Amino acid sequence: MTEHHLPSQLEVSPEAPDRNLALELVRVTEAGAMASGRWVGRGDKNGADGAAVKAMRSLVHTVSMNGIVVIGEGEKDEAPMLFNGERVGDGTGPECDVAVDPVDGTTLTAKGMANAVSVLAVAERGTMFDPSAVFYMDKLVTGPDAAEFVDITAPPGVNIRRIAKAKKSSPEDVTVVVLDRPRHEGIVKEIREAGARIKFISDGDVAGAIMAARESTGVDLLLGVGGTPEGIIAACAIKCLGGTIQAKLWPKDDEERQRALDAGHDLDQVLETDDLVSGDNVFFVATGITDGDLLRGVRYRAETATTQSLVMRSKSGTIRQIDSTHRLAKLRAYASVDFERPS
């Protein structure tokens, strides 16, 4: 296990989440990753997601917190487990907002592609942005070196040149991660005209954002439209890593636009990190499902599985990378989760 401590001036109130919570939370994403990892490459993204949801729900109720799912699998009528509004935790700990994405990259998992992760974030109650009005948002993410120089309202070429200057490099050295979607044709053209490199991802918006903010990933910037829930989860990670996420709500049609206006949203407003998650004591955990730029995927042997996880806390600025070996028989007995191969 490796640790990296960053300077932090954040304070926490006595009723805020306890500092040991992160190491409880990582058991939840490890369970999700090991359960969904059995479905890698099987072409069934719903099977992978369902296995992760079941495993994570079983484990999350053992965590010492009084949590409410703010970002989950959807409303109760559509998602019977980890639905928006569900209470999670054992009820004895602090009051928390919980954001969970059992499989960030269901298609990646189904196709055996890189960068699928299981993700969980926790912050003080009432601090996470409500994503219900608009499903998509336009996003910009970069790390601490260039955070104060970027502006989502500026053209991509301007931001690329600003990042290059902040990092004492050239635009040709900058790498931008972009979801591979037809809607991004214009952005892709502008990035290429600026001379920067592009790393396309087919899914996995949260992992892409973390790559853009974290050192030594080879990625400097994330641009483009992705999911609003994923943007809020990414903001929790940015709180821990440093850097910035900037976003603007992106209604996909007139009906969604009107719903956002009726909910009181200003569609011209630039939402920054603190707008997406205002808490000062945020926990973020992710466990790799498939091998990727961020984390190694689950490895299975006859009686064991190995996982690699990222565990972060904003108050302390601590970033842990945890390599774990799990004895599957003991996990099944303790957690009542079936980690056997899918039928």
Side-chain angles (χ1 to χ4, degrees):
M1 181 174 71
T2 58
E3 296 188 23
H4 180 53
H5 295 270
L6 302 177
S8 175
Q9 297 177 336
L10 298 174
E11 298 296 333
V12 61
S13 57
E15 67 275 9
D18 181 80
R19 69 180 186 179
N20 295 322
L21 196 59
L23 296 180
E24 291 188 61
L25 295 172
V26 74
R27 293 170 50 244
V28 181
T29 57
E30 287 174 343
M34 285 187 288
S36 60
R38 291 296 198 192
W39 294 82
V40 169
R42 292 172 59 89
D44 185 353
K45 66 179 184 179
N46 292 328
D49 191 57
V53 170
K54 181 180 177 182
M56 291 182 76
R57 188 172 188 262
S58 178
L59 268 292
V60 77
H61 285 297
T62 70
V63 177
S64 300
M65 66 178 178
N66 182 7
I68 292 180
V69 176
V70 175
I71 298 169
E73 292 292 284
E75 299 301 327
K76 184 175 182 179
D77 291 342
E78 297 293 330
M81 293 188 290
L82 296 180
F83 56 84
N84 297 352
E86 181 177 3
R87 289 191 173 272
V88 293
D90 66 5
T92 64
E95 296 189 353
C96 305
D97 281 353
V98 177
V100 57
D101 194 349
V103 182
D104 177 46
T106 54
T107 300
L108 301 176
T109 303
K111 293 183 176 181
M113 298 171 69
N115 290 321
V117 294
S118 183
V119 175
L120 180 65
V122 170
E124 298 101 321
R125 176 69 54 80
T127 59
M128 290 188 188
F129 183 83
D130 180 0
S132 59
V134 180
F135 188 72
Y136 291 102
M137 55 171 45
D138 192 14
K139 306 173 196 174
L140 177 153
V141 178
T142 194
D145 290 346
E148 63 182 291
F149 303 108
V150 293
D151 179 359
I152 194 172
T153 65
V158 171
N159 284 313
I160 288 166
R161 288 189 290 274
R162 289 175 178 177
I163 288 172
K165 184 176 180 181
K167 295 190 173 188
K168 297 180 173 57
S169 61
S170 68
E172 290 76 15
D173 298 323
V174 174
T175 298
V176 185
V177 65
V178 179
L179 274 170
D180 191 4
R181 300 288 188 273
R183 63 177 176 261
H184 291 149
E185 287 180 4
I187 292 174
V188 167
K189 181 180 179 182
E190 291 186 62
I191 293 170
R192 287 171 172 162
E193 288 175 349
R197 301 183 298 176
I198 298 175
K199 181 180 180 65
F200 285 109
I201 55 175
S202 61
D203 293 278
D205 200 46
V206 175
I210 297 171
M211 285 189 280
R214 196 178 185 202
E215 294 181 359
S216 304
T217 63
V219 174
D220 305 286
L221 177 66
L222 175 141
L223 290 175
V225 174
T228 301
E230 289 83 356
I232 297 160
I233 295 173
C236 293
I238 301 304
K239 276 274 187 170
C240 303
L241 286 165
T244 187
I245 178 169
Q246 298 177 12
K248 295 181 70 175
L249 295 176
W250 194 82
K252 65 179 184 295
D253 53 34
D254 289 340
E255 180 182 346
E256 194 169 81
R257 175 179 292 274
Q258 190 58 52
R259 188 163 66 244
L261 294 173
D262 291 343
H265 292 295
D266 178 359
L267 298 179
D268 294 322
Q269 180 186 1
V270 174
L271 299 166
E272 302 201 27
T273 311
D274 286 340
D275 298 311
L276 297 175
V277 56
S278 59
D280 286 337
N281 194 22
V282 180
F283 296 88
F284 177 92
V285 295
T287 302
I289 299 170
T290 60
D291 288 348
D293 302 272
L294 192 63
L295 291 164
R296 190 183 64 244
V298 184
R299 301 277 197 276
Y300 297 97
R301 295 179 179 84
E303 297 297 331
T304 63
T306 60
T307 58
Q308 187 172 73
S309 302
L310 193 61
V311 181
M312 305 188 287
R313 186 191 185 203
S314 67
K315 179 182 180 291
S316 63
T318 304
I319 302 169
R320 291 182 172 93
Q321 186 168 293
I322 299 178
D323 293 284
S324 302
T325 300
H326 310 267
R327 293 192 177 276
L328 298 181
K330 290 183 178 293
L331 279 175
R332 285 192 292 270
Y334 178 71
S336 301
V337 174
D338 185 6
F339 292 102
E340 295 288 353
R341 297 176 181 85
S343 58

